[in-house]
Amino acid sequence: MLSLVVFLPLAAALGLVVLPRGGGTAASWVWLIVSAVDLVLIGWLWFDYEDPGRGALAHEEQAPWIPGVDSSYHIGLDGLSLPLVAMTAVIFLVCAIYSLRGVDRPRSHAALFLFLQTVSLGLFVSADLILFFVFFDLSIVGMYFVIAGWGHGQAARSALKFFLYTFLGSLALLAGFIGLYVAADPHTFDMLELTEQTPLAGSSVGGGLVLACILVGLAIKTPTVPFHTWLPAAHTDAPAVGSAVLAAVLLKMGTYGFVRIAMPMLPEAWRAWAWVLIVIGVVSVLYGALVALAQTDLKRMIAYTSVNHMGYVVLALGAAGLVAGDTTQARGIAVTGAVTQMVSHGLVTGALFLLAGVFHDRADTCDMDSYGGLAAPAPRLTVLFAVAAFASLGLPALSGFIAEFQIFTGSIAVAPVTALALLGIIITAALFLRALQRVFTGGTRGHSTAFADLRPEEVWAVAPLMVLSLLIGVLPGPLLAVIEPAADVVVSLVGR
């Protein structure tokens, strides 16, 4: 069943490529229907999900793949991966709806995004390092073609920059994986076995070097300061659905790798590097917010808020490595908040980038100074952008508040100095409120004149993301009930 969920989009993509060519509209509807079916299947998996406990996975599937190095096709779900799998399916479905308004070369566009959907789902369910790495690298290839093929501005240059940066990171990641394999006894790439073995326990130098490789690879993908420089250009020149998938799904591959691989497999090294990670997290939070505040381009502003929000995640996971005294509960809250933030950021930033795409579609620019008083001609856009902005800045009753509240509660309880990152929330609130004032209030001027409000496809793409953010903000229980047991397992593994 889980394999069907992962590879159904790829099968549809191959069908679009191989079968006799038809209308572009039909290809877009194939993408939408397949994504909807995939989401229904994931809903069934969630309904049937029971916490597998430490060292196990739900809906597990395994088959021999490369027996010579003990690498297998091993997939499964737990409380860390299931929310991200569901969020991924939602994002691709709303992107399919958004694309119904019309895109260039719709057949190849739909096939490429279906391919990316399989790659993304496959990574989040992988329980083998080689399988994880294959999906990790394929995501780079897929997004490269999205930016280069359907981007604007300096798309080719931005796509190349994205590819080179993230591919270099993937090589560092591979070096780290090989280090884990070599140190394991018996040698294996199986994640569950490596988690139980902790192969570099007692080797501070070896563990530190392997963790450094893995951290660099994942930090580039996340991205954190100072590995973030590819992000603004990629987002600025990517198409709207490309930016949405990049921010909502692909960035989470880095932070997910922290909790799935680095923390449980290298607990000693993670504890030794915990303060370094906390510093990186705090710097990313403040730097991302301050640079976002200085932007005049809407897409670049949203891109830098992603650096800010991913900094919260790194900060919380770093705090989880400070094993001292009776802090187990606080560290569990921090990890739960980090995973919740991954889901919340995916929903909210996906919506923001889809809305930013509307600006580019209508007026060919995202320069905020060229708009003003947009609330009058575009009330639907105003309402959805305002809700997404408030969700991103962490307003209560929306998902961002639930995530950030847990991150700071857990982190400050473990390391009070992390309260410095609270400044990031204030700056983020200021930059979003300023953007709302500049673009939507006052007299109608510039490109706002005769600006067409959201089309039905655009409303149906963005509104569900805001409904989900509101649902998580008001009723977080069902989501936290899945995440909390897995977060507690991660904390116990780091504390070994």
Side-chain angles (χ1 to χ4, degrees):
M1 178 67 172
L2 190 54
S3 293
L4 176 63
V5 168
V6 172
F7 291 104
L8 177 62
L10 180 61
L14 292 174
L16 288 175
V17 172
V18 174
L19 294 179
R21 294 187 175 276
T25 302
S28 297
W29 276 100
V30 167
W31 178 16
L32 191 153
I33 292 170
V34 169
S35 296
V37 171
D38 224 27
L39 183 59
V40 170
L41 293 175
I42 291 169
W44 184 88
L45 290 176
W46 192 304
F47 178 76
D48 191 52
Y49 175 79
E50 292 183 4
D51 178 40
R54 177 171 167 170
L57 295 170
H59 302 290
E60 188 174 18
E61 297 176 17
Q62 188 168 16
W65 183 29
I66 313 175
V69 295
D70 195 23
S71 178
S72 62
Y73 172 75
H74 191 184
I75 59 175
L77 290 170
D78 64 3
L80 302 176
S81 55
L82 181 57
L84 293 174
V85 166
M87 183 270 290
T88 298
V90 169
I91 291 296
F92 276 94
L93 176 58
V94 300
C95 285
I97 296 171
Y98 188 89
S99 297
L100 287 178
R101 63 185 196 152
V103 295
D104 184 30
R105 293 159 287 151
R107 194 179 186 88
S108 51
H109 183 266
L112 184 55
F113 274 89
L114 285 165
F115 166 78
L116 264 175
Q117 185 169 349
T118 283
V119 167
S120 302
L121 292 172
L123 182 138
F124 290 129
V125 302
S126 292
D128 182 276
L129 289 181
I130 296 300
L131 194 62
F132 181 97
F133 180 78
V134 168
F135 287 126
F136 190 91
D137 257 16
L138 289 178
S139 72
I140 298 171
V141 176
M143 186 50 64
Y144 168 80
F145 284 111
V146 167
I147 299 172
W150 283 267
H152 41 74
Q154 296 182 317
R157 182 178 179 181
S158 296
L160 183 62
K161 188 175 183 179
F162 161 79
F163 185 90
L164 292 178
Y165 263 72
T166 51
F167 188 68
L168 181 64
S170 75
L171 293 180
L173 190 65
L174 180 61
F177 288 174
I178 293 173
L180 284 171
Y181 171 81
V182 171
D185 184 20
H187 300 314
T188 182
F189 283 107
D190 189 272
M191 291 185 183
L192 298 185
E193 291 186 32
L194 288 169
T195 298
E196 286 304 312
Q197 282 194 33
T198 57
L200 287 159
S203 174
S204 58
V205 176
L209 288 174
V210 170
L211 181 63
C213 291
I214 293 174
L215 285 182
V216 168
L218 297 176
I220 291 175
K221 191 84 167 187
T222 298
T224 63
V225 176
F227 304 111
H228 66 286
T229 53
W230 60 268
L231 184 72
H235 274 307
T236 301
D237 294 332
V241 289
S243 287
V245 169
L246 177 60
V249 180
L250 267 61
L251 301 192
K252 308 306 175 298
M253 294 178 179
T255 49
Y256 175 73
F258 290 148
V259 292
R260 172 61 67 199
I261 298 169
M263 295 176 73
M265 296 181 195
L266 296 159
E268 285 187 13
W270 189 269
R271 295 198 300 269
W273 286 51
W275 277 111
V276 175
L277 292 160
I278 289 172
V279 170
I280 292 173
V282 172
V283 171
S284 295
V285 166
L286 298 179
Y287 176 84
L290 287 170
V291 178
L293 184 65
Q295 301 303 311
T296 58
D297 184 281
L298 187 61
K299 292 185 81 175
R300 289 182 71 88
M301 185 195 80
I302 300 169
Y304 276 109
T305 63
S306 290
V307 177
N308 163 265
H309 283 83
M310 290 299 95
Y312 294 137
V313 176
V314 175
L315 166 68
L317 299 181
L322 297 179
V323 181
D326 186 20
T327 59
T328 302
Q329 184 180 5
R331 290 184 288 117
I333 293 171
V335 175
T336 300
V339 179
T340 307
Q341 176 74 331
M342 294 182 212
V343 176
S344 172
H345 180 265
L347 299 175
V348 174
T349 307
L352 285 170
F353 273 118
L354 291 180
L355 292 174
V358 173
F359 285 85
H360 194 277
D361 178 65
R362 303 288 197 274
D364 201 30
T365 179
C366 289
D367 180 17
M368 289 186 281
D369 291 335
S370 63
Y371 296 92
L374 194 54
R380 292 191 293 271
L381 171 63
T382 304
V383 170
L384 286 177
F385 190 92
V387 174
F390 286 127
S392 186
L393 62 86
L395 195 74
L398 294 163
S399 58
F401 173 78
I402 297 298
E404 292 170 16
F405 172 76
Q406 292 181 102
I407 286 173
F408 282 107
T409 299
S411 300
I412 294 174
V414 176
V417 71
T418 57
L420 283 172
L422 285 168
L423 289 172
I425 295 180
I426 298 172
I427 300 169
T428 305
L431 70 91
F432 272 117
L433 291 176
R434 193 180 69 156
L436 286 169
Q437 287 179 344
R438 293 165 74 176
V439 176
F440 295 100
T441 62
T444 302
R445 62 179 179 81
H447 292 302
S448 297
T449 306
F451 191 97
D453 203 357
L454 295 182
R455 302 168 188 166
E457 301 94 332
E458 294 160 346
V459 173
W460 282 107
V462 177
L465 298 177
M466 293 300 90
V467 170
L468 285 172
S469 178
L470 180 63
L471 194 61
I472 293 172
V474 176
L475 294 171
L479 176 63
L480 298 182
V482 172
I483 297 174
E484 283 175 349
D488 291 340
V489 169
V490 171
V491 168
S492 69
L493 291 171
V494 171
R496 286 179 290 178

